Amino acid sequence: MRRMMIAATLFVVTLLASGGSGVAQSGDKEVEEIYLLRTLRHGRVVPSDFCAPTKTGFAPALEDQLSIHSVAVRPSDGRMTDTGENSIGEMRVCIGQAIDPTLLGTYTEGQLNGIAFTGVGDCRLVRGNVPEEGILTHRCFQALSGLPEPYVGGFLISSSLYSRTPFGAESSPPGYAQAGIAIIRLWKKRQP
């Protein structure tokens, strides 16, 4: 899974760095949209009825509110140069712990550029206190559904970093891009 996430990230960074628009095409029929973005956590509360186990499939422990922001990548080498001043969406995430304490079940409802989606998947704690004391890193995968026409599905993968200051853009210790750097792929129904 880690190799798949690295390969997907490199594909998108290469696509964007080479002047690609983040859109895969088949002839002149667009069937895929790819977004590289950043998420910021703005709130965490005791789970509300929004996170009911009948909806999420697990007993929730946390409920997070996140904003989604666009990013910019330098075309010459793929390095991220802007970590997201423009808000392009939001997510509400239910989080529940599985039997494995490093694995968290996730249920998300959100919108990206006005496109509503539901995500179901998991996040795994990768490391604690690396690269510094007080830093936690996670990797996540969610299958996306509940999309409007003409979308038929998609997925979200992310690499997240949380510091001792778990909300907003400023990390503690400073200098890290919290919270998540993510790729969203959306697939459209092929038109004849």
Side-chain angles (χ1 to χ4, degrees), residues 100-134:
D100 178 348
T102 66
L103 187 64
L104 304 170
T106 58
Y107 173 89
T108 300
E109 289 183 15
Q111 63 86 18
L112 171 69
N113 294 323
I115 303 166
F117 64 88
T118 299
V120 177
D122 58 57
C123 292
R124 182 171 294 278
L125 174 65
V126 178
R127 291 215 159 155
N129 298 316
V130 173
E132 292 188 61
E133 186 72 28

Side-chain angles (χ1 to χ4, degrees), residues 5 11 28 66 73 92 97 99 106 116 119 139 146 153 163 187:
M5 286 179 61
F11 167 76
D28 18 27
L66 295 99
V73 177
R92 192 169 173 187
Q97 194 164 354
I99 296 170
T106 58
R139 64 162 172 76
S163 73
W187 301 301

Side-chain angles (χ1 to χ4, degrees), residues 103-176:
L103 187 64
L104 304 170
T106 58
Y107 173 89
T108 300
E109 289 183 15
Q111 63 86 18
L112 171 69
N113 294 323
I115 303 166
F117 64 88
T118 299
V120 177
D122 58 57
C123 292
R124 182 171 294 278
L125 174 65
V126 178
R127 291 215 159 155
N129 298 316
V130 173
E132 292 188 61
E133 186 72 28
I135 300 287
L136 292 176
T137 56
H138 294 82
R139 64 162 172 76
C140 302
F141 173 86
Q142 290 194 332
L144 302 182
S145 62
L147 296 153
E149 289 285 335
Y151 301 99
V152 295
F155 67 75
L156 178 152
I157 58 172
S158 69
S159 168
S160 298
L161 179 144
Y162 292 99
S163 73
R164 291 185 289 253
T165 307
F167 303 105
E170 299 302 319
S171 64
S172 174
Y176 298 101

